[in-house]
Amino acid sequence: EPAYEFLLGSILHWVEAECSVERLRQQRQQQQRKEAAAQEKDEKKEEAEAGGDRQTGEGVQDAAAEAAAAAAAATEAASGPSDEELTILSAERAAAKIERLGFDVGYRLCERLAQSKPLGPGLPPPGSSGAAAAGGGAGGTAAPAVDPAALQLEAVKFLCKEFWMEVFRKQIDKLQTNHRGVFVLKDHELRWLRRLPPEDETARVAAIKLLAFPCGLIRGALSNLGIGAVVSCDFLADGKNMAACSFNVKIKS
């Protein structure tokens, strides 16, 4: 567990450095310089093509209009987004990057686990010979069709038991579903959040960043099983107990 926490902390630190407000501001400044250089190059090209036409009254007016437009564009670009907007953008980029990292890990881990652990009664692991046989038997005889809802339920059960045990050394505490493609996975004590103090705003922000990773794990594991889903998370005790959280999984139709 300490190794997992250290690795996840290192990942979060790297992501925050990559998506920091200062980094975003530097990237924006570089983009503005590139745009200004490209605009200056285009203006010189137009001047060379126009030749002596710019000496006429019409040419002078066009040049003045172009200069005014360039000045307005430069002013608008210089203003840029506010610090608050950059902070929001930085948080969104960091969460998206952490979620993508979790997706990659979840996809690969599920690939390994599903090779030896069946999804459920009558449902072979993906990629195995049994999975191919599910679509047709020997001699071209079609096997009984599998209900998609049943497949989704067994896949989520596999996620709650085998997958969660592999990552967190425990199973999901409670699974709820409306049997229409929506699942709620409740973990009353997520190991990665146990040490965060309750009712602390800084800890809450850190917990939200951390939870982006298991959201990606769930989405990646389901994707490996051939199920597209949207995953979000929430606190069960409204932040009073950071380790108690739920993951809402909505299967894409």
Side-chain angles (χ1 to χ4, degrees):
E1 182 181 353
Y4 271 112
E5 292 180 354
F6 176 78
L7 179 59
L8 189 58
S10 300
I11 292 173
L12 288 174
H13 179 73
W14 173 75
V15 169
E16 288 179 353
E18 287 291 313
C19 301
S20 65
V21 174
E22 186 61 31
R23 184 67 177 267
L24 290 177
R25 188 176 286 112
Q26 292 176 358
Q27 292 176 352
R28 182 171 180 81
Q29 290 174 352
Q30 292 176 357
Q31 183 65 25
Q32 289 176 357
R33 284 196 291 267
K34 290 180 180 179
E35 292 175 355
Q39 183 178 2
E40 183 179 358
K41 183 178 180 180
D42 291 341
E43 290 176 354
K44 289 181 178 179
K45 183 178 179 180
E46 291 176 0
E47 289 178 359
E49 292 176 351
D53 291 344
R54 289 197 177 277
Q55 299 300 323
T56 65
E58 184 178 354
V60 172
Q61 291 178 358
D62 291 342
E66 290 176 3
T75 302
E76 182 179 357
S79 59
S82 63
D83 288 343
E84 183 178 356
E85 292 173 338
L86 283 176
T87 301
I88 295 174
L89 180 60
S90 172
E92 291 176 348
R93 286 194 178 184
K97 188 179 286 290
I98 293 171
E99 199 273 347
R100 286 196 300 271
L101 290 171
F103 177 90
D104 292 339
V105 174
Y107 190 96
R108 297 177 184 181
L109 179 58
C110 186
E111 178 75 22
R112 179 168 62 85
L113 291 176
Q115 297 302 318
S116 57
K117 299 179 185 294
L119 297 181
L123 297 177
S128 67
S129 58
T141 304
V146 178
D147 182 14
L151 178 61
Q152 293 170 4
L153 180 59
E154 292 302 329
V156 175
K157 286 182 178 179
F158 170 82
L159 183 71
C160 295
K161 296 178 180 179
E162 306 294 346
F163 186 87
W164 218 252
M165 178 66 73
E166 182 71 16
V167 178
F168 297 104
R169 301 295 184 263
K170 67 185 289 289
Q171 297 182 1
I172 282 287
D173 294 307
K174 189 174 184 179
L175 169 63
Q176 296 175 309
T177 179
N178 63 356
H179 299 285
R180 292 193 296 272
V182 177
F183 300 88
V184 180
L185 287 60
K186 295 184 178 181
D187 192 327
H188 296 151
E189 192 178 20
L190 192 68
R191 299 172 71 93
W192 293 347
L193 304 182
R194 286 189 307 183
R195 300 181 185 180
L196 294 178
E199 298 184 353
D200 184 89
E201 186 61 27
T202 303
R204 184 182 180 88
V205 173
I208 292 173
K209 291 181 180 179
L210 282 167
L211 287 173
F213 194 81
C215 282
L217 288 175
I218 295 172
R219 193 170 67 87
L222 290 176
S223 178
N224 182 270
L225 299 175
I227 300 174
V230 177
V231 184
S232 60
C233 59
D234 200 1
F235 296 107
L236 292 177
D238 195 24
K240 293 182 180 179
N241 179 13
M242 294 294 181
C245 56
S246 65
F247 299 92
N248 307 308
V249 181
K250 182 175 178 59
I251 305 299
K252 294 180 180 180
S253 57

